[in-house]
Amino acid sequence: MGGHQAVAGYVAEDVALARRIKESGLKLRHFLGANLAKLRMYRSWTALWEGWTKVLYLGAQRSLWLMVSLALLMLNIYLIPWLVLVIVFSKSFLIGWKTVDLLAMCLALIAILLQYNLRTLAAQAFRSSPKYWWLHGLGGLLVAVIAIASVIKTETGWGWTWRGRVLKHPISPRE
C-alpha cells in the first residue's frame, strides 16, 4: 500500500490511508485509546477551525448532501431544543401559558436531558469532563457552520490553508 508516504500529498491523509487499507482487502479497526495516551489536537479556536474546515468535506468524499445533512442534524439535535426552551419560556412568561407550551417545553427538556446523557457517556469513554455539557447547543451550531464552511473553502479555495500554507484544490472527489 505504500504506508503513510503513499498518501502524504493528500489533504486528508488519514482518510486516504484508511481507504487504501480497505481497498487492499485488509481489515481496519478503530479503538478508543484514552487509557493509552492523552491527546489534544487543537490548542486554539483558529487551529480547530482551520483543521476541521480543511478535512470535513473531503472526509465525506465531497458530498454536499452529507454536509447539509450534518449541518441540519447538528442544529436539530443540539441547538433547536435550547431555542425551543428559551422561546417558549419567554413567550409564556410575556403572554401566558398554554397547554401546547407545556408540551413543547417538556419535549425540549427531554431532548436536553438526552444531550446530557450522551455527554456523560462520551466523558466516560474518552476520560474527559462533562463539565460544559450545557454548551452543546452552541457546539451544534458551530459544527453546522464548520460543515458548510468546509464545503465553501474546499470548492472555492478561499482561505483553505493548513498551518499557514495554501492548499491545492483536490483533483478527485475521493481525496
Side-chain angles (χ1 to χ4, degrees):
M1 291 176 315
H4 186 267
Q5 206 165 20
V7 295
Y10 287 80
V11 173
E13 77 281 351
D14 53 346
V15 176
L17 182 59
R19 285 195 183 115
R20 279 183 168 243
I21 291 168
K22 295 297 284 182
E23 289 167 357
S24 72
L26 296 172
K27 290 185 179 188
L28 180 66
R29 295 182 67 191
H30 298 274
F31 296 95
L32 295 178
N35 57 341
L36 299 175
K38 190 172 183 175
L39 170 71
R40 183 174 179 140
M41 286 185 62
Y42 304 109
R43 298 203 178 274
S44 69
W45 163 251
T46 304
L48 184 140
W49 175 264
E50 184 182 41
W52 278 101
T53 57
K54 170 185 78 107
V55 297
L56 191 59
Y57 181 54
L58 288 179
Q61 298 182 31
R62 293 174 68 188
S63 170
L64 180 61
W65 167 248
L66 279 177
M67 291 297 95
V68 170
S69 296
L70 174 63
L72 292 174
L73 184 68
M74 291 295 105
L75 294 174
N76 280 309
I77 291 174
Y78 295 110
L79 180 63
I80 289 180
W82 290 97
L83 287 177
V84 166
L85 191 64
V86 168
I87 290 168
V88 171
F89 183 79
S90 299
K91 178 252 177 211
S92 298
F93 181 75
L94 296 171
I95 300 172
W97 290 90
K98 292 188 179 175
T99 305
V100 72
D101 297 333
L102 185 59
L103 178 63
M105 286 185 73
C106 286
L107 290 174
L109 285 171
I110 288 169
I112 290 168
L113 287 173
L114 289 171
Q115 289 177 17
Y116 176 76
N117 187 48
L118 181 63
R119 179 57 183 227
T120 55
L121 289 172
Q124 290 170 359
F126 297 116
R127 297 200 174 145
S128 62
S129 171
K131 183 177 178 181
Y132 298 108
W133 74 271
W134 50 274
L135 290 173
H136 274 197
L138 179 59
L141 175 62
L142 292 175
V143 171
V145 170
I146 286 170
I148 301 308
S150 184
V151 172
I152 293 167
K153 287 173 76 170
T154 304
E155 291 298 338
T156 65
W158 299 337
W160 201 43
T161 60
W162 180 237
R163 296 187 175 168
R165 66 180 169 132
V166 176
L167 298 171
K168 294 181 182 175
H169 199 273
I171 299 165
S172 73
R174 297 238 356 143
E175 187 174 332

